[in-house]
Amino acid sequence: MSAEHQVHRALQQVVSYWLVTGSDVAQGDLKMTEAELWHMMLLAADNTFSGMAGIASITFAYLAAAHFVGAKLSRFQAAVATVFYATAAGFWSFFTIVFYRRAIFFLRRLSENYGIESLAPNDAFLPIYATVLGLLIPACVYFMYQVRRNAK
């Protein structure tokens, strides 16, 4: 196997990890051991929880700002805060869902390859979680709007 082919194969594996497609990640020539799969699953779960904490922090900061100083902000200041919040929360939400899917992927590989059974959440919770995150941002923006409207 040439060095160029090895580099190409390594890049394919990196893309497979990122996109969670499953091609050659846990099967084939480079089958991952049980310990490696556990490690990858736990890293993805840790990233998911970190993302949830980030969303909670950003949301709390935005709601606190809306509650305490929302009525005193100019229209421009409120718009800038809202755009920053919506952008940051949107990115955190997206990547949290990506990491959640990645954790589920590795948990599935553990189950398929090594017979590990788990009570951990699976794909059934993903639509619910995505819906909650999708409704969170508009609800917070509406709260800011209500605070500003009722203060006048």
Side-chain angles (χ1 to χ4, degrees):
M1 188 182 292
S2 71
E4 185 176 302
H5 182 70
Q6 287 177 340
V7 169
H8 185 285
R9 185 156 170 86
L11 286 174
Q12 283 180 330
Q13 291 172 353
V14 169
V15 170
S16 295
Y17 281 132
W18 181 249
L19 297 177
V20 192
T21 61
S23 61
D24 293 331
V25 173
Q27 301 170 18
D29 297 340
L30 302 172
K31 185 175 179 181
M32 295 176 77
T33 66
E34 183 179 353
E36 290 170 326
L37 282 171
W38 272 112
H39 181 74
M40 294 301 294
M41 193 277 297
L42 292 173
L43 284 175
D46 183 49
N47 288 338
T48 301
F49 293 130
S50 295
M52 289 178 186
I55 293 167
S57 298
I58 292 169
T59 300
F60 176 76
Y62 181 75
L63 291 175
H67 178 72
F68 292 113
V69 296
K72 299 173 188 169
L73 295 175
S74 69
R75 179 177 285 179
F76 177 75
Q77 290 170 327
V80 168
T82 299
V83 167
F84 281 149
Y85 166 71
T87 303
F91 279 121
W92 275 97
S93 297
F94 173 75
F95 286 112
T96 300
I97 290 170
V98 168
F99 291 131
Y100 185 83
R101 289 185 64 223
R102 192 178 295 175
I104 292 169
F105 169 79
F106 287 115
L107 194 57
R108 249 195 236 120
R109 293 298 165 267
L110 278 165
S111 179
E112 291 170 3
N113 294 346
Y114 299 102
I116 304 296
E117 294 300 324
S118 175
L119 297 175
N122 54 27
D123 285 333
F125 291 105
L126 191 57
I128 297 167
Y129 183 62
T131 302
V132 168
L133 289 177
L135 294 175
L136 179 69
I137 297 170
C140 292
V141 171
Y142 183 72
F143 178 75
M144 172 70 93
Y145 169 75
Q146 287 296 325
V147 166
R148 292 183 47 73
R149 185 178 71 135
N150 293 333
K152 295 179 180 181

